[in-house]
Amino acid sequence: MRISELARRAGISARMLRHYDALGLVKPSGRTMAGYREYAEADVWRLFQVESLRTLGLGLAEVGRALGQQAPRPDTLIDELISRSQLRLAAEQELLARLGAVRAALPADWPKVLEIVQLLNKLDSADAPVRQRAALDVAISGAPVAARVAQALLQEQDPNVAGALRWALGRAEGASIGVLAAALRLPDAEVRERAVVALAYVGSAEAFDLLRGAFADSSAAIRYRAARVLGAQGAQDAIPLLVEQIAIGDHDVEAADTLAELAEDPAVARRIVSRFEAAMAGSHNQARVRISQALAEIPGAAATALLARLATDREPAVARSAAYVIGVRSGMADESLR
């Protein structure tokens, strides 16, 4: 088979076949009397192998090593190719997000495009103060780049910049809910937790629905974070998870503060006390101590009655804690009468 026929059948150029020959990847088995390359069936099979490996993203040198059995193990090389593809995909996604942000701004002229691009570039700066300033600028720019702010927030490591981005997220034009909803489905628990915190600043009904969905997250930290965020917004369905946090000692102070705000409604206060009673069943001593402490901020007769029970607890530390809280509550009641 002559080079022109092989090129036609394989769908590649004769020039590429000559390049493969020069590299030793696909060498013709023979030559005609006139000196033209002549390919046998084995050469065609070799070409098929080269092209197959190239579709996986291997460079020509890597293809040569693989076919010569000098490359790393296939699984190792494929893992490396996957990593390369993920990096390329991430770069393309970043470009797509940037183009989408510019397009969403509906720029009327090129100076407006440049203004938005400069703003986005600052959000991606390696300098944390620059990113922080950009977040503040976004909030007052009027550019509909909320989705881009959400993406930056999900990646931000600096707490000061993250705070500025959250502030900007609540004020930036545009919709960020799609970005945050997608983040809640990612395998990285740290990113999911950032999304939960960000949703509080969005403040829409759709954001609160997503937070309720996070109550079922596989990570306890995310479930508890969602409960604190939503509980602070007055959501009573966060009560079970808030009580659970106090019982196990995970951000129990923040959870107790959130419950205290919810307990301003007497009916809700009774519901909270009922959940505490349920949590006490079979609980360890420290859990009951924390429950005693949390009851200090829960008004009403039900909380007083539960504290009286805890004051007679068989564990001295629990009894002392409950008695102290009873004293504090009595002092607060006396103060309110003056």
Side-chain angles (χ1 to χ4, degrees):
M1 186 184 304
R2 298 277 291 275
I3 190 170
S4 57
E5 183 180 359
L6 178 57
R8 179 175 56 80
R9 290 189 178 185
I12 61 176
S13 67
R15 181 179 179 182
M16 182 60 73
L17 286 172
R18 293 188 188 97
H19 186 49
Y20 284 173
D21 184 3
L23 294 175
L25 284 175
V26 183
K27 298 187 72 67
S29 296
R31 296 267 180 171
T32 66
M33 293 293 292
Y36 294 106
R37 294 174 176 83
E38 192 164 50
Y39 294 88
E41 288 298 320
D43 304 326
V44 176
W45 172 241
R46 173 79 174 191
L47 177 61
F48 172 76
Q49 292 176 312
V50 169
E51 292 299 296
S52 295
L53 291 174
R54 287 197 67 193
T55 64
L56 296 178
L58 271 72
L60 293 179
E62 291 171 322
V63 168
R65 288 193 293 270
L67 293 177
Q69 298 297 317
Q70 297 172 336
R73 286 168 47 93
D75 56 348
T76 302
L77 186 54
I78 289 172
D79 285 344
E80 182 181 340
L81 292 171
I82 289 173
S83 296
R84 291 184 202 170
S85 295
Q86 288 173 332
L87 288 173
R88 287 196 298 271
L89 180 60
E92 289 296 323
Q93 288 175 329
E94 172 64 24
L95 175 59
L96 182 61
R98 186 177 293 265
L99 290 170
V102 174
R103 183 66 186 85
L106 298 174
D109 49 36
W110 285 109
K112 182 63 175 177
V113 170
L114 292 174
E115 179 185 332
I116 295 169
V117 169
Q118 287 179 334
L119 199 58
L120 297 177
N121 285 342
K122 289 177 181 177
L123 284 175
D124 293 332
S125 171
D127 189 353
V130 172
R131 296 197 305 276
Q132 186 172 8
R133 181 66 219 175
L136 300 176
D137 290 342
V138 161
I140 61 175
S141 69
V145 292
R148 189 66 190 84
V149 173
Q151 289 171 337
L153 178 56
L154 293 172
Q155 299 166 2
E156 186 57 59
Q157 301 287 335
D158 186 285
N160 294 325
V161 180
L165 286 168
R166 285 193 290 269
W167 182 83
L169 186 65
R171 291 159 178 78
E173 298 293 328
S176 60
I177 201 75
V179 172
L180 299 176
L184 289 174
R185 297 191 293 271
L186 294 176
D188 189 332
E190 186 176 342
V191 174
R192 297 202 308 275
E193 187 167 359
R194 288 178 191 156
V196 163
V197 176
L199 284 166
Y201 290 81
V202 176
S204 66
E206 191 174 0
F208 292 159
D209 286 342
L210 289 172
L211 284 169
R212 287 186 171 88
F215 286 177
D217 195 278
S218 59
S219 166
I222 293 171
R223 295 196 299 273
Y224 294 158
R225 172 75 82 165
R228 295 196 300 275
V229 169
L230 206 51
Q233 303 296 326
Q236 296 180 30
D237 50 353
I239 290 173
L241 281 170
L242 291 169
V243 170
E244 186 178 308
Q245 290 176 71
I246 292 170
I248 70 171
D250 190 330
H251 289 85
D252 50 293
V253 174
E254 295 96 323
D257 288 343
T258 304
L259 285 172
E261 293 179 13
L262 289 168
E264 291 179 3
D265 182 330
V268 177
R270 289 192 294 272
R271 182 181 172 192
I272 291 170
V273 172
S274 178
R275 295 297 307 192
F276 276 136
E277 287 179 312
M280 283 168 50
S283 64
H284 55 78
N285 299 336
Q286 285 304 310
R288 297 198 300 283
V289 168
R290 287 190 291 271
I291 289 172
S292 300
Q293 294 166 345
L295 284 167
E297 299 294 329
I298 308 299
T304 300
L306 183 55
L307 279 166
R309 278 178 50 194
L310 286 164
T312 62
D313 194 275
R314 64 184 182 279
E315 173 58 38
V318 177
R320 283 195 301 271
S321 177
Y324 174 78
V325 171
I326 290 171
V328 170
R329 285 166 65 92
S330 297
M332 291 170 60
D334 293 342
E335 188 68 28
S336 66
L337 294 174
R338 293 176 185 175

